[in-house]
Amino acid sequence: MHKSLLLPLVFLAGCTSHPITSKTLSEAEIADIQSRVEARYPELSTEKTQAVTELVVRALDNMVAIKGGTFMMGEFKIPCEPGSESLCYSDFYRDNDYAHKVTLGDYALSKYETTIKEFDLFRQLRGKKPYENELRQRESRQYLFAPKKPAWTRDWEEPNAYCQWIGQLAQREVSLPTEAQWEFAARNRGKNILYATDNGRIELGRNYTSSDDRSEMNDVGRFPANPLGIYDLSGNATEWVYDWYSETYYRDSPSYEPKGPQEGAGHVIRGGSNIETPDTNTTVNRYHDKDIGFYSKFYGFRCSTW
Protein backbone atom coordinates (compact mmCIF):
# COMPACT_ATOMS: atom_id res chain seq x y z
CA MET A 1 0.00 0.00 0.00
CA HIS A 2 1.31 3.43 -0.96
CA LYS A 3 1.31 5.56 2.18
CA SER A 4 3.11 8.74 1.19
CA LEU A 5 1.06 11.92 1.17
CA LEU A 6 2.11 14.31 -1.56
CA LEU A 7 0.91 17.76 -2.47
CA PRO A 8 -1.77 17.74 -5.18
CA LEU A 9 -0.24 17.17 -8.62
CA VAL A 10 -1.68 17.48 -12.07
CA PHE A 11 -0.95 15.31 -15.08
CA LEU A 12 -2.15 15.96 -18.59
CA ALA A 13 -3.19 12.64 -20.10
CA GLY A 14 -2.21 12.40 -23.76
CA CYS A 15 -2.77 15.64 -25.63
CA THR A 16 -5.97 16.57 -23.79
CA SER A 17 -6.15 19.79 -21.80
CA HIS A 18 -8.11 18.25 -18.95
CA PRO A 19 -5.75 17.59 -16.02
CA ILE A 20 -5.71 14.45 -13.88
CA THR A 21 -5.07 15.50 -10.29
CA SER A 22 -3.98 13.43 -7.30
CA LYS A 23 -3.28 14.03 -3.64
CA THR A 24 -1.46 10.72 -3.15
CA LEU A 25 0.26 9.85 -6.44
CA SER A 26 3.25 11.45 -8.12
CA GLU A 27 3.17 12.63 -11.73
CA ALA A 28 5.34 9.66 -12.67
CA GLU A 29 2.92 7.22 -11.02
CA ILE A 30 -0.01 8.73 -12.90
CA ALA A 31 1.96 8.46 -16.15
CA ASP A 32 2.71 4.80 -15.40
CA ILE A 33 -0.99 4.08 -14.88
CA GLN A 34 -1.84 5.76 -18.18
CA SER A 35 0.86 3.71 -19.94
CA ARG A 36 -0.63 0.50 -18.60
CA VAL A 37 -4.10 1.59 -19.72
CA GLU A 38 -2.78 2.36 -23.22
CA ALA A 39 -0.97 -0.97 -23.42
CA ARG A 40 -4.01 -2.94 -22.33
CA TYR A 41 -6.52 -0.98 -24.43
CA PRO A 42 -4.64 0.38 -27.47
CA GLU A 43 -7.87 0.97 -29.40
CA LEU A 44 -9.30 3.46 -26.90
CA SER A 45 -9.73 7.11 -27.77
CA THR A 46 -7.70 9.72 -25.89
CA GLU A 47 -10.84 10.71 -24.01
CA LYS A 48 -11.63 7.15 -22.95
CA THR A 49 -8.00 6.46 -22.01
CA GLN A 50 -8.10 9.47 -19.74
CA ALA A 51 -11.41 8.34 -18.19
CA VAL A 52 -9.94 4.94 -17.29
CA THR A 53 -6.74 6.51 -15.97
CA GLU A 54 -8.77 8.91 -13.83
CA LEU A 55 -10.88 6.07 -12.50
CA VAL A 56 -7.79 4.18 -11.32
CA VAL A 57 -6.15 7.29 -9.86
CA ARG A 58 -9.33 8.20 -8.01
CA ALA A 59 -9.70 4.66 -6.68
CA LEU A 60 -6.25 4.94 -5.11
CA ASP A 61 -6.85 8.48 -3.84
CA ASN A 62 -10.02 7.31 -2.11
CA MET A 63 -8.28 4.60 -0.10
CA VAL A 64 -8.29 5.32 3.64
CA ALA A 65 -5.19 3.96 5.37
CA ILE A 66 -6.08 1.85 8.41
CA LYS A 67 -3.49 0.83 10.97
CA GLY A 68 -3.85 -2.85 11.79
CA GLY A 69 -4.49 -4.25 15.24
CA THR A 70 -6.15 -6.96 17.29
CA PHE A 71 -9.85 -7.07 18.17
CA MET A 72 -12.59 -9.47 19.17
CA MET A 73 -14.53 -10.03 15.98
CA GLY A 74 -18.21 -10.88 16.20
CA GLU A 75 -21.06 -10.20 18.61
CA PHE A 76 -19.96 -8.06 21.57
CA LYS A 77 -23.43 -7.67 23.16
CA ILE A 78 -25.14 -4.47 24.20
CA PRO A 79 -27.14 -3.32 27.27
CA CYS A 80 -30.54 -5.02 27.28
CA GLU A 81 -32.10 -1.66 28.15
CA PRO A 82 -30.56 1.82 28.22
CA GLY A 83 -28.50 2.07 31.40
CA SER A 84 -28.84 -1.62 32.18
CA GLU A 85 -25.82 -3.65 33.33
CA SER A 86 -27.32 -6.77 31.79
CA LEU A 87 -26.06 -7.53 28.30
CA CYS A 88 -28.01 -9.01 25.40
CA TYR A 89 -27.26 -10.08 21.85
CA SER A 90 -27.68 -7.23 19.37
CA ASP A 91 -29.57 -9.39 16.83
CA PHE A 92 -31.33 -12.71 16.38
CA TYR A 93 -28.69 -14.22 14.09
CA ARG A 94 -26.47 -16.87 15.65
CA ASP A 95 -23.62 -17.19 13.15
CA ASN A 96 -21.87 -14.08 14.51
CA ASP A 97 -22.21 -14.98 18.20
CA TYR A 98 -18.80 -16.61 18.59
CA ALA A 99 -16.54 -13.65 19.37
CA HIS A 100 -12.98 -14.55 18.43
CA LYS A 101 -9.64 -12.77 18.46
CA VAL A 102 -8.43 -11.48 15.10
CA THR A 103 -5.23 -9.64 14.22
CA LEU A 104 -4.91 -7.62 11.03
CA GLY A 105 -1.94 -5.92 9.42
CA ASP A 106 -2.12 -2.43 7.95
CA TYR A 107 -4.43 -2.03 4.96
CA ALA A 108 -6.61 0.56 3.25
CA LEU A 109 -10.30 0.60 2.45
CA SER A 110 -12.11 2.76 -0.08
CA LYS A 111 -13.95 5.61 1.59
CA TYR A 112 -16.78 5.17 -0.93
CA GLU A 113 -18.80 2.34 -2.38
CA THR A 114 -18.04 1.81 -6.08
CA THR A 115 -20.39 3.95 -8.16
CA ILE A 116 -22.59 3.22 -11.17
CA LYS A 117 -20.37 5.42 -13.35
CA GLU A 118 -17.21 3.53 -12.37
CA PHE A 119 -18.73 0.07 -12.72
CA ASP A 120 -20.35 0.95 -16.07
CA LEU A 121 -16.97 1.94 -17.51
CA PHE A 122 -15.37 -1.29 -16.31
CA ARG A 123 -18.16 -3.40 -17.76
CA GLN A 124 -18.03 -1.49 -21.07
CA LEU A 125 -14.33 -2.33 -21.41
CA ARG A 126 -15.24 -5.99 -20.90
CA GLY A 127 -17.68 -5.80 -23.80
CA LYS A 128 -20.75 -5.90 -21.58
CA LYS A 129 -23.98 -4.07 -22.35
CA PRO A 130 -25.34 -1.81 -19.61
CA TYR A 131 -27.43 -3.77 -17.14
CA GLU A 132 -31.12 -2.85 -17.05
CA ASN A 133 -30.61 -0.98 -20.32
CA GLU A 134 -34.32 -0.86 -21.14
CA LEU A 135 -35.11 0.57 -17.73
CA ARG A 136 -32.39 3.18 -18.15
CA GLN A 137 -34.11 4.49 -21.29
CA ARG A 138 -37.27 5.39 -19.39
CA GLU A 139 -37.14 9.04 -18.40
CA SER A 140 -39.11 8.35 -15.23
CA ARG A 141 -36.51 5.79 -14.09
CA GLN A 142 -33.24 7.47 -15.04
CA TYR A 143 -32.81 8.76 -11.48
CA LEU A 144 -32.13 5.16 -10.44
CA PHE A 145 -28.91 5.22 -12.45
CA ALA A 146 -27.45 8.53 -11.33
CA PRO A 147 -23.67 8.21 -11.76
CA LYS A 148 -22.78 8.63 -8.06
CA LYS A 149 -25.21 6.04 -6.73
CA PRO A 150 -23.77 2.64 -5.70
CA ALA A 151 -23.15 0.19 -8.53
CA TRP A 152 -25.80 -2.47 -9.05
CA THR A 153 -24.51 -6.05 -8.90
CA ARG A 154 -25.90 -9.55 -9.31
CA ASP A 155 -23.09 -11.73 -7.94
CA TRP A 156 -19.70 -11.72 -6.23
CA GLU A 157 -17.61 -12.41 -9.32
CA GLU A 158 -17.97 -9.07 -11.11
CA PRO A 159 -17.16 -6.91 -8.05
CA ASN A 160 -14.16 -9.11 -7.32
CA ALA A 161 -13.01 -8.78 -10.94
CA TYR A 162 -13.43 -4.99 -10.78
CA CYS A 163 -11.17 -4.67 -7.74
CA GLN A 164 -8.56 -6.95 -9.32
CA TRP A 165 -8.73 -4.86 -12.51
CA ILE A 166 -7.97 -1.71 -10.51
CA GLY A 167 -5.02 -3.52 -8.96
CA GLN A 168 -3.67 -4.68 -12.31
CA LEU A 169 -3.72 -1.17 -13.79
CA ALA A 170 -2.29 0.33 -10.59
CA GLN A 171 0.19 -2.51 -9.97
CA ARG A 172 -1.10 -2.81 -6.42
CA GLU A 173 -2.71 -5.59 -4.42
CA VAL A 174 -6.39 -4.62 -4.67
CA SER A 175 -9.34 -6.85 -3.86
CA LEU A 176 -12.65 -6.92 -2.09
CA PRO A 177 -12.01 -6.43 1.64
CA THR A 178 -12.01 -9.52 3.80
CA GLU A 179 -14.89 -9.81 6.23
CA ALA A 180 -12.48 -9.09 9.10
CA GLN A 181 -11.12 -5.97 7.37
CA TRP A 182 -14.64 -4.73 6.73
CA GLU A 183 -15.75 -5.21 10.36
CA PHE A 184 -12.53 -3.76 11.84
CA ALA A 185 -13.06 -0.57 9.80
CA ALA A 186 -16.81 -0.39 10.47
CA ARG A 187 -16.11 -0.62 14.21
CA ASN A 188 -13.48 2.15 14.08
CA ARG A 189 -10.55 -0.24 14.43
CA GLY A 190 -12.45 -2.92 16.33
CA LYS A 191 -14.14 -0.91 19.06
CA ASN A 192 -17.51 -2.01 20.41
CA ILE A 193 -19.46 0.25 18.06
CA LEU A 194 -22.81 -1.06 16.85
CA TYR A 195 -23.45 1.28 13.90
CA ALA A 196 -20.81 2.55 11.47
CA THR A 197 -21.98 6.16 11.58
CA ASP A 198 -20.19 9.28 12.77
CA ASN A 199 -21.33 8.74 16.37
CA GLY A 200 -22.15 5.04 16.57
CA ARG A 201 -25.89 5.70 16.56
CA ILE A 202 -28.51 5.91 13.81
CA GLU A 203 -30.18 9.30 13.52
CA LEU A 204 -32.59 9.18 10.60
CA GLY A 205 -32.16 12.05 8.16
CA ARG A 206 -28.89 13.26 9.71
CA ASN A 207 -26.41 10.40 9.53
CA TYR A 208 -28.63 7.78 7.90
CA THR A 209 -31.28 7.88 5.20
CA SER A 210 -34.73 8.95 6.37
CA SER A 211 -37.60 6.50 6.64
CA ASP A 212 -39.18 8.09 3.54
CA ASP A 213 -36.12 7.30 1.37
CA ARG A 214 -35.43 3.71 2.39
CA SER A 215 -36.48 2.19 -0.95
CA GLU A 216 -33.85 4.21 -2.82
CA MET A 217 -30.08 4.38 -2.84
CA ASN A 218 -28.30 7.64 -2.08
CA ASP A 219 -25.28 9.12 -3.82
CA VAL A 220 -22.25 7.63 -2.09
CA GLY A 221 -20.96 9.80 0.73
CA ARG A 222 -24.21 11.71 1.23
CA PHE A 223 -24.19 11.23 5.01
CA PRO A 224 -21.30 11.76 7.46
CA ALA A 225 -18.44 9.27 7.45
CA ASN A 226 -17.50 7.10 10.39
CA PRO A 227 -14.53 8.28 12.54
CA LEU A 228 -12.04 6.70 10.11
CA GLY A 229 -13.46 8.74 7.24
CA ILE A 230 -15.35 5.90 5.52
CA TYR A 231 -18.90 6.34 4.26
CA ASP A 232 -21.98 4.12 4.00
CA LEU A 233 -20.75 1.14 6.03
CA SER A 234 -24.20 1.04 7.63
CA GLY A 235 -26.92 1.37 5.01
CA ASN A 236 -27.05 2.53 1.40
CA ALA A 237 -26.07 -0.70 -0.45
CA THR A 238 -25.15 -3.92 1.29
CA GLU A 239 -21.59 -4.92 0.36
CA TRP A 240 -19.96 -8.06 -0.98
CA VAL A 241 -16.72 -8.97 0.81
CA TYR A 242 -13.96 -11.40 -0.13
CA ASP A 243 -14.89 -14.38 2.08
CA TRP A 244 -16.85 -17.46 1.25
CA TYR A 245 -19.64 -17.96 3.81
CA SER A 246 -19.79 -20.70 6.43
CA GLU A 247 -22.15 -20.63 9.38
CA THR A 248 -19.47 -22.14 11.63
CA TYR A 249 -16.43 -20.25 10.32
CA TYR A 250 -16.11 -17.98 13.35
CA ARG A 251 -15.28 -21.06 15.44
CA ASP A 252 -12.69 -22.29 12.92
CA SER A 253 -11.21 -18.96 11.86
CA PRO A 254 -7.44 -18.41 12.13
CA SER A 255 -6.53 -15.51 14.37
CA TYR A 256 -4.22 -13.75 11.89
CA GLU A 257 -5.56 -12.21 8.68
CA PRO A 258 -8.55 -14.56 8.21
CA LYS A 259 -9.83 -14.72 4.64
CA GLY A 260 -12.75 -17.09 5.02
CA PRO A 261 -13.12 -20.80 4.30
CA GLN A 262 -11.92 -22.42 1.09
CA GLU A 263 -15.51 -22.83 -0.10
CA GLY A 264 -18.97 -22.14 1.17
CA ALA A 265 -22.63 -21.37 0.60
CA GLY A 266 -22.12 -18.21 -1.40
CA HIS A 267 -20.15 -15.19 -0.22
CA VAL A 268 -20.52 -12.93 2.78
CA ILE A 269 -22.24 -9.57 2.47
CA ARG A 270 -22.03 -6.91 5.16
CA GLY A 271 -23.50 -3.56 6.14
CA GLY A 272 -27.13 -3.98 5.14
CA SER A 273 -28.99 -1.81 2.62
CA ASN A 274 -31.45 1.04 2.99
CA ILE A 275 -34.39 -1.28 2.32
CA GLU A 276 -33.71 -3.18 5.54
CA THR A 277 -34.77 -2.03 9.00
CA PRO A 278 -32.05 0.44 10.07
CA ASP A 279 -31.60 -1.15 13.50
CA THR A 280 -30.52 -4.44 11.88
CA ASN A 281 -27.69 -2.87 9.83
CA THR A 282 -25.08 -3.30 12.52
CA THR A 283 -21.32 -3.67 12.34
CA VAL A 284 -21.49 -7.34 13.36
CA ASN A 285 -24.47 -8.58 11.37
CA ARG A 286 -23.52 -10.86 8.49
CA TYR A 287 -25.52 -12.19 5.55
CA HIS A 288 -24.58 -14.28 2.55
CA ASP A 289 -25.75 -14.78 -1.00
CA LYS A 290 -24.89 -16.32 -4.37
CA ASP A 291 -25.79 -15.12 -7.85
CA ILE A 292 -29.14 -13.44 -7.23
CA GLY A 293 -30.13 -13.76 -10.90
CA PHE A 294 -30.55 -10.07 -11.71
CA TYR A 295 -28.76 -6.78 -11.12
CA SER A 296 -29.92 -5.28 -7.84
CA LYS A 297 -29.45 -1.74 -6.58
CA PHE A 298 -29.33 -3.10 -3.04
CA TYR A 299 -26.08 -5.09 -3.59
CA GLY A 300 -22.91 -3.02 -3.90
CA PHE A 301 -19.23 -3.20 -2.96
CA ARG A 302 -16.01 -1.32 -2.29
CA CYS A 303 -12.35 -2.28 -2.73
CA SER A 304 -9.39 -2.54 -0.38
CA THR A 305 -5.63 -2.65 -0.74
CA TRP A 306 -2.57 -3.39 1.38
Side-chain angles (χ1 to χ4, degrees):
M1 180 176 66
H2 188 80
K3 297 181 180 179
S4 63
L5 294 178
L6 304 175
L7 292 176
L9 293 160
V10 298
F11 178 77
L12 301 182
C15 59
T16 180
S17 61
H18 179 66
I20 296 177
T21 63
S22 177
K23 295 181 179 179
T24 63
L25 302 177
S26 69
E27 185 174 336
E29 288 172 316
I30 297 173
D32 286 344
I33 291 171
Q34 181 188 326
S35 294
R36 287 189 286 272
V37 172
E38 291 171 341
R40 183 159 179 170
Y41 305 106
E43 74 288 353
L44 290 186
S45 66
T46 299
E47 180 181 8
K48 190 71 73 175
T49 297
Q50 175 168 319
V52 177
T53 303
E54 277 195 288
L55 187 157
V56 177
V57 169
R58 206 65 56 231
L60 299 180
D61 276 352
N62 287 338
M63 290 291 177
V64 175
I66 301 171
K67 184 174 177 56
T70 299
F71 74 118
M72 294 300 293
M73 183 175 176
E75 175 69 71
F76 50 79
K77 296 185 180 180
I78 59 175
C80 299
E81 299 290 341
S84 171
E85 294 185 2
S86 299
L87 298 178
C88 293
Y89 291 114
S90 64
D91 58 47
F92 296 105
Y93 302 99
R94 300 282 71 94
D95 63 348
N96 62 359
D97 286 353
Y98 189 78
H100 56 292
K101 183 180 290 188
V102 166
T103 299
L104 298 174
D106 298 347
Y107 65 103
L109 185 64
S110 178
K111 68 173 66 175
Y112 300 121
E113 294 173 318
T114 302
T115 65
I116 287 176
K117 180 179 180 180
E118 293 162 341
F119 201 45
D120 276 355
L121 179 54
F122 163 71
R123 297 186 75 253
Q124 180 185 9
L125 293 176
R126 301 184 92 196
K128 304 283 188 179
K129 295 181 180 179
Y131 53 81
E132 298 294 347
N133 198 32
E134 184 177 328
L135 191 62
R136 292 182 189 225
Q137 305 309 312
R138 301 182 193 174
E139 187 173 351
S140 63
R141 292 292 182 266
Q142 288 177 1
Y143 73 94
L144 294 170
F145 305 96
K148 291 186 178 181
K149 288 182 182 289
W152 298 30
T153 71
R154 63 173 291 166
D155 56 27
W156 175 89
E157 281 77 15
E158 261 194 326
N160 185 57
Y162 174 92
C163 294
Q164 291 179 336
W165 174 74
I166 294 290
Q168 290 161 3
L169 293 175
Q171 287 198 343
R172 307 278 180 91
E173 293 288 342
V174 181
S175 72
L176 292 171
T178 65
E179 185 177 14
Q181 289 174 336
W182 190 98
E183 184 171 319
F184 189 70
R187 289 172 53 183
N188 190 15
R189 299 191 65 251
K191 298 174 184 176
N192 289 353
I193 295 173
L194 195 59
Y195 299 105
T197 60
D198 57 336
N199 60 7
R201 301 186 297 275
I202 286 181
E203 298 174 2
L204 298 180
R206 190 195 72 80
N207 66 4
Y208 194 94
T209 197
S210 69
S211 57
D212 295 334
D213 296 330
R214 279 180 49 204
S215 64
E216 301 302 335
M217 301 296 99
N218 304 306
D219 284 359
V220 301
R222 174 180 172 184
F223 294 104
N226 82 341
L228 293 179
I230 304 173
Y231 298 86
D232 300 317
L233 288 167
S234 284
N236 219 15
T238 193
E239 299 178 15
W240 297 101
V241 297
Y242 179 82
D243 307 40
W244 285 99
Y245 172 80
S246 167
E247 184 178 2
T248 61
Y249 182 67
Y250 276 20
R251 294 184 178 274
D252 305 323
S253 168
S255 61
Y256 183 73
E257 296 282 7
K259 295 183 178 180
Q262 295 298 309
E263 58 184 10
H267 285 86
V268 178
I269 51 178
R270 297 295 297 260
S273 71
N274 286 351
I275 197 64
E276 290 156 313
T277 303
D279 288 350
T280 67
N281 290 342
T282 70
T283 58
V284 297
N285 206 350
R286 59 200 303 254
Y287 305 91
H288 66 283
D289 222 323
K290 300 180 181 179
D291 186 331
I292 59 177
F294 59 93
Y295 282 88
S296 170
K297 64 184 179 180
F298 299 118
Y299 286 68
F301 68 99
R302 72 182 75 219
C303 301
S304 69
T305 186
W306 58 92

